[in-house]
Amino acid sequence: MQIRDLPYPDPGVPDARSGPRFLLWLGRNQLGGQIKAVCWGLLHFAGIGGLSVGAGLAVQAVIDRSGGRLALAGGFIALCGAAISVGDTMLHRTAVTNWIAVAARVQQLLARKTAHLGSALTRRVAAGEVVAVSTGDVEKIGWFVEALSRFLSAFIAIILICLGLVLYLPELGTLVAVGVPVLAVAVLPLLPRAAQRADIQREKAGRATELASDTVAGLRVLRGIGGEELFLGRYRAASQEVREAAVRSARMWSLISAIQVLLPGIMLISVIWYGAQLVLDGRIEVGGLVTVYSAVTLLLFPLRHFEEIAMAYSFSRPSAKRAARVLSLERTAFEDERGHLDDARPSGDLYDPATGLRAPSGLLTAVVCGDPDVAGRLAERLGGHAAGEEKGASVLLGGVALDDLPLDAARACVLVQDKDPVLLSGTLAELLDIPASGAVDPEKALAAAQCGDVLDALIQASVDGSGDPMRSRITERGRSLSGGQRQRLALARSLVTDPEVLVLDEPTSAVDSHTEARIAQSVKELRAGRTTVVFASSPLLLDHADRVVFVHEGQVGAVGLHRELLRSDPGYREVVTRETEDERGEQKQIMTPASARAREEIEESA
């Protein structure tokens, strides 16, 4: 895999059962790149090991006053230098390519999962965790994959060098062969504590990131209520906790690094002392001692990769666990063993067996729920995005289960706009340039959503002076606009798509009553012949609906027109008029026949 080949045509199906399994799956998919990196690493470390042999040959040639052997040793050292240069360059190039390729694969998987889950993702995983996974965690996972190839090549090189020393000088080689494994595993008892401290640091950092994200998102509101300093103080406290956790983690890793310096130093001194005794006894030559000394010195370099791989795994394991947790989230829809249906998109009534809610084809159906959260979850369920604990029988469209449709077809058939839609930064033309049927042009959608004042505001805020609102830029999440303006632009975007079924959750909660009435009438006219479901409790919207469904305690309680339900269903009237039981009792006690008739007239005109 070359960087120019990214992104992957298909990133694959990850093994997300656990963090280690996910790392193993990534390693298997990057096997070719890992083998290349290991081969270049072996060339690099072979050159490093050869330097010790060349140094020993050169010293012994000087002692023996042999110019020919000295020249031969010099040529051998030059050859080793070339191997080190080429091997190190290509090892770094290949390892970084592996890192980028793995990071790209993980990001593609996360992007695919985000599109797969839709708005249900942020309800099942904290927003700060999603940000951490898609940024910092991707880098840590890539770091482990990059370090793995260097570690494997260093591990193989150390075994070969120790074996060579044992065969070359058994007296000193055996000491080195016994001491090197001790050096490699000396820090293992400290790694669990170091990993634990690193996990605490990352957890605190994730909370601080989530707090910062929430503070920035609500900065406009916080300033309005004077709570800016309060939330900034909370973030300062959270950031100090992150700093303290980072210092504690760094202390442990510093201790590990100190041990990695101390123990090799002790071993090096032992080799020199014992080797000097062997030279004085005449059991080995000076050149042999120089070779072993050089080999032990150079072995310290590949031994550093043992520390690196330990750190990389300690950091990447929780990162991989978080990534696997996100990637393991599944769409609530089940796919039966018969496989998917064809891409043909069904049409007809939208029916939810769990609640009994039916939205007839081609009509505007209003749904009233006493609890806004229940309404939001039901709206998501109608689009196939409900949370896992709410999974039940699939919603049907024209008798076809949405769960049996390919995801793209299901999303094209049913579009859900939640109560807090997100506007991406860019121009208004880019915002409305989305996959659509083509039956509704942006001008009609903007007019139906009553966006005239929004267009005027965009023209005034335009920096290019073109006077074209479609070329005016919208800031991130539409923060330069009011809540009602953002809501209407989001509604216009949904109308442009012109899906078979459009589900709107409180689409006019942030607009004034006059605008709300005009939107209700315009949307009904624009969506004529298409199925529209609106979750709302505003009489102005409900009065324009072809059919009103009252959902009480998770089941359809009443169906009819708005004015009929006001007269016939006390529960419905309580939700729509915000009337309590005590108020109803008091009104009944003091209500005269004349006042009762007046109240009925008011309700009929509502």
Side-chain angles (χ1 to χ4, degrees):
M1 169 60 68
Q2 300 294 324
I3 295 179
R4 62 174 174 268
D5 297 327
L6 297 175
Y8 291 96
D10 180 10
V13 180
D15 185 350
R17 288 176 291 177
S18 66
R21 288 178 181 273
F22 180 57
L23 289 175
L24 180 61
W25 178 84
L26 289 173
R28 287 200 305 266
N29 281 272
Q30 204 63 31
L31 188 59
Q34 293 288 351
I35 292 175
K36 290 180 181 178
V38 169
C39 291
W40 288 118
L42 288 176
L43 177 62
H44 171 62
F45 290 119
I48 291 177
L51 287 179
S52 60
V53 177
L57 292 176
V59 170
Q60 192 62 43
V62 171
I63 294 175
D64 296 341
R65 300 180 181 276
S66 174
R69 283 191 293 163
L70 181 61
L72 183 63
F76 182 73
I77 291 175
L79 182 63
C80 290
I84 293 174
S85 178
V86 174
D88 188 33
T89 300
M90 296 306 298
L91 171 61
H92 178 74
R93 177 188 177 93
T94 310
V96 171
T97 300
N98 290 337
W99 181 89
I100 295 175
V102 167
R105 186 185 297 275
V106 176
Q107 287 178 330
Q108 281 187 250
L109 291 171
L110 291 171
R112 185 176 67 182
K113 181 60 67 174
T114 301
H116 184 75
L117 292 175
S119 60
L121 175 63
T122 53
R123 291 201 307 271
R124 301 165 68 180
V125 181
E129 184 172 348
V130 176
V131 173
V133 170
S134 59
T135 55
D137 287 339
V138 169
E139 294 183 2
K140 293 180 179 66
I141 293 171
W143 176 30
F144 172 74
V145 175
E146 175 197 8
L148 182 61
S149 56
R150 289 198 296 267
F151 164 73
L152 292 175
S153 57
F155 179 74
I156 297 173
I158 288 174
I159 293 177
L160 295 177
I161 291 174
C162 289
L163 181 60
L165 290 177
V166 171
L167 296 177
Y168 178 61
L169 284 177
E171 297 86 349
L172 284 178
T174 303
L175 176 62
V176 175
V178 172
V180 168
V182 174
L183 298 181
V185 301
V187 297
L188 290 182
L190 299 176
L191 289 179
R193 182 174 297 180
Q196 182 181 12
R197 293 189 178 185
D199 289 345
I200 294 174
Q201 175 195 351
R202 282 186 292 272
E203 181 180 353
K204 292 182 178 296
R207 287 202 295 265
T209 301
E210 185 174 355
L211 180 60
S213 176
D214 292 342
T215 302
V216 171
L219 195 57
R220 185 173 183 178
V221 177
L222 292 176
R223 286 175 175 170
I225 63 175
E228 181 180 3
E229 287 300 324
L230 174 63
F231 274 80
L232 289 178
R234 291 180 181 177
Y235 178 72
R236 291 190 191 99
S239 64
Q240 288 302 311
E241 291 181 2
V242 175
R243 182 189 62 81
E244 293 172 1
V247 170
R248 293 185 72 249
S249 178
R251 285 173 181 169
M252 183 57 66
W253 289 111
S254 298
L255 176 60
I256 293 174
S257 298
I259 292 175
Q260 290 282 41
V261 173
L262 176 63
L263 294 183
I266 294 175
M267 179 179 174
L268 190 60
I269 294 173
S270 301
V271 168
I272 294 174
W273 178 82
Y274 184 57
Q277 295 296 323
L278 294 178
V279 171
L280 292 176
D281 294 341
R283 296 170 60 183
I284 63 174
E285 296 180 341
V286 175
L289 176 60
V290 172
T291 298
V292 176
Y293 167 77
S294 302
V296 173
T297 304
L298 295 173
L299 275 176
L300 301 182
F301 176 70
L303 276 174
R304 294 177 184 174
H305 293 293
F306 283 75
E307 177 188 356
E308 181 190 19
I309 195 63
M311 292 181 63
Y313 181 73
S314 298
F315 278 92
S316 65
R317 180 179 54 82
S319 296
K321 181 180 179 181
R322 281 194 292 268
R325 177 170 175 256
V326 174
L327 294 174
S328 64
L329 297 175
E330 292 296 338
R331 190 183 174 206
T332 58
F334 58 87
E335 298 170 355
D336 68 31
E337 299 177 355
R338 295 172 301 175
H340 293 303
L341 297 180
D342 295 334
D343 287 338
R345 298 174 184 175
S347 60
D349 294 354
L350 184 69
Y351 175 68
D352 178 23
T355 60
L357 171 62
R358 181 181 297 277
S361 176
L363 298 182
L364 172 60
T365 301
V367 181
V368 177
C369 294
D371 187 344
D373 293 334
V374 173
R377 290 193 294 268
L378 179 54
E380 296 295 339
R381 174 175 168 75
L382 292 179
H385 312 292
E389 60 272 13
E390 298 178 358
K391 178 177 177 179
S394 172
V395 173
L396 306 178
L397 177 60
V400 178
L402 287 182
D403 295 345
D404 290 338
L405 291 174
L407 183 60
D408 293 343
R411 293 286 168 84
C413 289
V414 183
L415 173 65
V416 179
Q417 176 184 303
D418 60 26
K419 64 182 64 178
D420 187 22
V422 176
L423 300 182
L424 303 179
S425 59
T427 65
L428 180 57
E430 292 171 342
L431 176 69
L432 301 179
D433 184 16
I434 53 178
S437 67
V440 179
D441 56 60
E443 288 74 17
K444 291 182 180 179
L446 291 168
Q450 303 298 311
C451 293
D453 63 316
V454 184
L455 300 180
D456 293 338
L458 291 175
I459 292 176
Q460 294 177 3
S462 177
V463 295
D464 59 5
S466 63
D468 183 4
M470 301 301 290
R471 296 175 57 185
S472 300
R473 294 197 63 82
I474 300 173
T475 58
E476 181 185 3
R477 300 180 69 91
R479 292 195 176 100
S480 60
L481 303 172
S482 67
Q485 290 173 331
R486 288 196 300 268
Q487 206 170 51
R488 281 176 283 164
L489 283 182
L491 175 60
R493 179 179 59 187
S494 299
L495 293 174
V496 167
T497 60
D498 190 39
E500 179 68 27
V501 179
L502 177 60
V503 180
L504 304 172
D505 186 10
E506 295 288 353
T508 58
S509 59
V511 301
D512 61 84
S513 57
H514 296 289
T515 305
E516 185 178 36
R518 291 195 298 268
I519 290 175
Q521 182 62 36
S522 299
V523 170
K524 183 176 181 179
E525 294 174 356
L526 186 65
R527 293 281 302 168
R530 292 287 203 180
T531 306
T532 307
V533 181
V534 181
F535 285 79
S537 58
S538 169
L540 294 173
L541 264 176
L542 299 174
D543 200 37
H544 285 84
D546 299 312
R547 193 169 184 262
V548 178
V549 179
F550 177 49
V551 177
H552 181 63
E553 295 182 354
Q555 294 293 324
V556 172
V559 179
L561 295 177
H562 166 58
R563 302 189 184 192
E564 294 175 353
L565 294 178
L566 275 178
R567 290 192 296 266
S568 62
D569 195 297
Y572 177 82
R573 182 167 58 248
E574 178 182 340
V575 173
V576 174
T577 64
R578 276 66 169 178
E579 182 183 71
T580 64
E581 293 182 3
D582 293 339
E583 291 173 343
R584 288 202 305 270
E586 293 174 0
Q587 291 169 357
K588 288 179 180 178
Q589 292 176 3
I590 64 175
M591 188 175 293
T592 64
S595 64
R597 287 194 300 272
R599 178 179 176 82
E600 290 181 0
E601 292 176 358
I602 293 174
E603 289 178 348
E604 289 180 359
S605 63

